[in-house]
Amino acid sequence: MTAVAEIMDYDEVLRNFDPVLGLEVHVELSTATKMFCGCANEFGAEPNTRVCPVCLGMPGALPVVNGTAVESAIRIGLALNCQVAEWCRFARKNYFYPDMPKNFQTSQYDEPIVFDGHLDVVLDDGETFRVGIERAHMEEDTGKSSHVGGAAGRIHGAEHSLLDYNRAGVPLIEIVTKPITDAGERAPEVARAYVTALRDLLRSMGVSDVRMDQGSLRCDANVSLTPKGSTRFGTRTETKNVNSFRSIERAVRFEMRRHAALLNEGAEIVQETRHFDESSGETSSGRRKEEAEDYRYFPEPDLVPIAPSRDWVEQLRGTLPEMPWERRRRAQEQWELSDEELRDLVNAGALDLIAATVDAGASPSEARSWWVAYLTQRANERGGELASLPITPEQVARVIELVNEGKLTHKLARQVVDGVLDGRGGPDEVIAADELEVVSDDSSLQAAVDEALAAQPDAAEKIRGGKVQAAGAIVGAVMKATQGQADAKRVRELVLAACGQQ
Amino acid sequence: MSTISRDEVAHLAGLARLAVSEEELEKFSGQLDVILDAVARVGEVAADEIPPTSHAVPVTNVFRNDEVREGLSREQALRSAPATEENRFRVPRILNEEA
Ligand SMILES: [Zn+2]
């Protein structure tokens, strides 16, 4: 083991070096079936229950390409402003690893289905940064291994490993950026913003679940440093296992600081994969890449080439939904947001959720209020993102509707939302289970009003004398007596009526 | 035109996880040379305008509908495995040879 490398102060890194980034993102498509066989593509099924001779690599089994996966690949390429190949092939990438039962991965080599595009990424201050896309190609995911006998399920020190092949053969799209050379001090932020923008884009297209926590969106970050004034890229490292947006930013920043410290001492950067540790925020050495990887790619003989006709490509272009950046522009206009307000909503990951809530029938201001205030608070308490809260925009819209109909007070509405977040069903189910509906039955309310007036004769007298603002105390007492389940507006009407003020 | 060296054969054997003895390395590099020479003769007749061919039939775009089809039961899938544990395939230590 080498000693833990010193790291350089970030400002000093920037005074001496220019960072170069390359980001490889793997996206699992949310097709019904796998890439080359009809097994269900499903997260979380019982181990080895979504397998067949093809995805288990049994002798003689023949793959057939999933047409929907090809469509998704082309659509992703179009959304990323890429060219679509006129003709391309699959290739075998040969290596041995137990998570890959065929002993090769069916992938694409020098003929990716889409190439040469870009994605415009909005940074935290609203500035747009263009990230070039080198290519995106189709391939298949591997099985999932768990390691037995090592510390905390780690592969190091494990005695043996167990394989579940449900994920083997799930369609993957690998999206590779061109080298990002001009991000400078903002390189870590650009890396985070790019993957976030890609996630938003893929989610709006409905081609993937894009859940970093479940591995349906994975990012490998290549980092190297070029000394100021030089044009040659330095040796790069590839950090894997980065599974949140924030971690991408931290990992890139850490690698920049580590490389700089080593280069400063005259040491060499080892070309290797590195693992990011969420808790320490540091990377550690993984597999060395001493020899260039030798995968002996060759064209896949069992699959015929793909030649997307231009008609088909144009037809697929027509299926692209409104892109997130278009949606943002439209939201800003329709909801009359300032640039800062828009940026805050985007950074909070709230914009698409609010838009979907508006689409489900809520007013923009009510939708915004729920997502930005109460739900953001709940998300923070859970330490997660807004989008991963277990409540849908439709459910939020339903709660808003019930409030507007007077069936829920704001207090009750929050209780209903909490019930949904706790996994107790939709709003209507929570209301029914907890009997949360507003008490608007006048006879039971009248009794409570009479009681409150009798208990506070001074206030009652003032109201009778025309000081209607004194009604607040009586309304408060009734709300307390009904445990917040009464419709406050109706209570006020009853109080005023009882005192001859209506 | 001898094209493959002994070292290359050893390298390929390593990649393919084949235990090849010293004598076999000698023997195989000679045999592989003969094979490569034979295949290389194709290049003598292929002119620049002939694209490399990977598939013998001029067929493209063979796709399957994205519909789930019944696969193997877990019992069937695991039946031929040398070892299983917790309904998974059990394999020997992975990092052995790389460590
Ligand atoms: Zn299968």
Side-chain angles (χ1 to χ4, degrees):
Chain A
M1 290 296 280
T2 50
V4 176
E6 297 293 318
I7 57 171
M8 188 187 276
D9 177 74
Y10 192 65
D11 290 333
E12 204 187 329
V13 176
L14 297 167
R15 276 196 294 277
N16 296 294
F17 301 97
D18 289 314
V20 179
L21 288 179
L23 300 165
E24 293 170 18
V25 172
H26 284 89
V27 184
E28 275 182 0
L29 297 179
S30 53
T31 45
T33 65
K34 293 187 180 181
M35 190 74 211
F36 303 113
C37 62
C39 290
N41 169 14
E42 204 177 338
F43 181 82
E46 284 293 303
N48 295 307
T49 56
R50 303 290 183 272
V51 291
C52 75
V54 173
C55 55
L56 287 177
M58 291 183 174
L62 285 172
V64 188
V65 175
N66 181 339
T68 302
V70 177
E71 285 187 357
S72 294
I74 295 175
R75 291 175 72 232
I76 290 170
L78 293 172
L80 293 171
N81 307 288
C82 287
Q83 313 277 321
V84 179
E86 303 259 355
W87 191 86
C88 66
R89 289 175 294 190
F90 284 99
R92 289 192 183 180
K93 181 181 182 180
N94 298 281
Y95 65 95
F96 292 89
Y97 209 78
D99 62 11
M100 214 179 43
K102 294 187 295 187
N103 290 339
F104 62 85
Q105 181 188 33
T106 308
S107 180
Q108 295 193 284
Y109 182 45
D110 49 0
E111 299 165 2
I113 184 144
V114 298
F115 52 92
D116 194 18
H118 64 261
L119 178 62
D120 285 332
V121 173
V122 181
L123 302 181
D124 291 351
D125 64 356
E127 200 182 305
T128 300
F129 188 95
R130 176 161 292 188
V131 175
I133 304 293
E134 178 74 33
R135 58 183 279 167
H137 68 255
M138 300 178 284
E139 58 184 33
E140 57 181 333
D141 212 344
T142 58
K144 210 169 157 46
S145 19
S146 38
H147 308 294
V148 181
R154 297 262 316 213
I155 189 168
H156 291 278
E159 279 155 16
H160 61 272
S161 299
L162 304 179
L163 271 302
D164 167 15
Y165 291 116
N166 285 348
R167 201 180 63 184
V170 164
L172 273 190
I173 304 295
E174 180 176 339
I175 302 166
V176 182
T177 65
K178 294 177 179 170
I180 302 168
T181 55
D182 46 355
E185 62 174 325
R186 306 190 76 168
E189 182 193 349
V190 165
R192 187 219 338 119
Y194 164 72
V195 181
T196 309
L198 198 53
R199 189 271 314 259
D200 291 349
L201 173 63
L202 298 171
R203 189 165 55 196
S204 72
M205 293 175 66
V207 291
S208 169
D209 298 335
V210 284
R211 293 278 301 265
M212 282 196 109
D213 56 334
Q214 293 183 353
S216 53
L217 179 74
R218 312 196 277 270
C219 177
D220 301 338
N222 291 282
V223 175
S224 70
L225 293 182
T226 304
K228 288 271 186 202
S230 168
T231 50
R232 251 187 64 214
F233 292 177
T235 304
R236 67 187 168 86
T237 53
E238 180 180 13
T239 304
K240 293 185 177 280
N241 197 25
V242 196
N243 49 22
S244 77
F245 298 109
R246 195 167 148 259
S247 297
I248 294 167
E249 183 165 358
R250 291 167 76 207
V252 168
R253 200 180 165 93
F254 180 84
E255 277 298 281
M256 284 171 63
R257 298 176 66 191
R258 191 182 67 84
H259 282 211
L262 286 169
L263 293 170
N264 207 37
E265 288 169 10
E268 299 239 322
I269 307 293
V270 180
Q271 186 169 343
E272 62 185 354
T273 51
R274 297 187 65 87
H275 295 287
F276 181 69
D277 181 337
E278 295 272 345
S279 54
S280 68
E282 299 182 355
T283 66
S284 59
S285 180
R287 187 159 44 98
R288 285 195 171 210
K289 292 186 171 177
E290 278 153 355
E291 336 178 3
E293 278 150 339
D294 192 345
Y295 292 123
R296 291 153 297 139
Y297 281 98
F298 63 86
E300 168 58 66
D302 291 342
L303 296 167
V304 300
I306 295 176
S309 75
R310 298 304 99 175
D311 283 352
W312 187 32
V313 171
E314 287 317 305
Q315 187 200 324
L316 290 173
R317 196 189 299 278
T319 67
L320 292 180
E322 183 178 37
M323 294 290 135
W325 47 91
E326 295 164 347
R327 188 170 214 180
R328 262 167 225 164
R329 203 177 308 127
R330 192 167 58 96
Q332 183 169 23
E333 279 171 24
Q334 290 180 351
W335 309 346
E336 297 173 352
L337 301 173
S338 69
D339 286 350
E340 289 73 29
E341 286 171 320
L342 177 72
R343 200 175 67 219
D344 289 347
L345 292 186
V346 171
N347 289 346
L351 190 105
D352 289 342
L353 296 165
I354 295 168
T357 309
V358 171
D359 288 347
S363 74
S365 63
E366 286 166 319
R368 227 174 106 191
S369 158
W370 271 100
W371 286 105
V372 172
Y374 193 67
L375 289 165
T376 294
Q377 185 194 327
R378 280 282 175 268
N380 289 341
E381 284 163 12
R382 290 163 171 250
E385 290 177 62
L386 208 48
S388 50
L389 279 180
I391 188 165
T392 65
E394 290 74 23
Q395 289 170 331
V396 174
R398 174 67 181 148
V399 170
I400 292 170
E401 182 186 15
L402 289 167
V403 171
N404 289 337
E405 285 172 358
K407 291 190 179 140
L408 289 178
T409 61
H410 274 284
K411 182 170 173 240
L412 286 179
R414 287 193 200 110
Q415 278 175 256
V416 172
V417 166
D418 286 344
V420 176
L421 293 177
D422 289 340
R424 300 183 41 236
D428 291 289
E429 287 163 275
V430 174
I431 290 167
D434 295 359
E435 299 175 5
L436 289 177
E437 213 144 343
V438 161
V439 177
S440 53
D441 164 18
D442 279 0
S443 60
S444 63
L445 278 186
Q446 190 65 54
V449 166
D450 292 345
E451 211 170 289
L453 285 169
Q456 300 188 57
D458 291 353
E461 200 50 49
K462 281 181 189 161
I463 302 167
R464 286 193 192 97
K467 288 190 175 156
V468 292
Q469 60 272 36
I474 305 297
V475 173
V478 174
M479 294 308 289
K480 204 173 167 195
T482 56
Q483 289 168 346
Q485 300 209 15
D487 176 356
K489 202 168 136 224
R490 182 71 193 134
V491 172
R492 188 178 164 84
E493 287 166 6
L494 290 175
V495 170
L496 294 177
C499 299
Q501 292 299 327
Q502 245 176 2
Chain B
M1 54 180 195
S2 174
T3 46
I4 192 157
S5 70
R6 213 185 117 97
D7 284 351
E8 283 173 306
V9 176
H11 174 66
L12 286 173
L15 289 173
R17 304 293 195 271
L18 294 173
V20 177
S21 69
E22 290 297 314
E23 299 100 78
E24 281 172 325
L25 275 183
E26 209 57 60
K27 186 173 157 196
F28 291 162
S29 42
Q31 290 179 341
L32 285 166
D33 258 351
V34 173
I35 294 169
L36 287 172
D37 283 348
V39 174
R41 292 182 64 186
V42 175
E44 291 168 18
V45 294
D48 285 349
E49 75 272 16
I50 300 174
T53 305
S54 57
H55 295 74
V57 285
V59 177
T60 57
N61 298 345
V62 176
F63 300 137
R64 168 175 61 79
N65 287 339
D66 187 23
E67 286 158 10
V68 176
R69 283 175 61 175
E70 188 86 14
L72 298 175
S73 69
R74 184 158 64 202
E75 290 65 36
Q76 288 172 316
L78 295 173
R79 187 178 295 153
S80 308
T84 66
E85 189 176 317
E86 294 172 10
N87 296 320
R88 293 164 172 91
F89 293 81
R90 180 180 161 148
V91 300
R93 186 188 308 178
I94 292 173
L95 281 191
N96 233 358
E97 54 194 45
E98 293 178 11

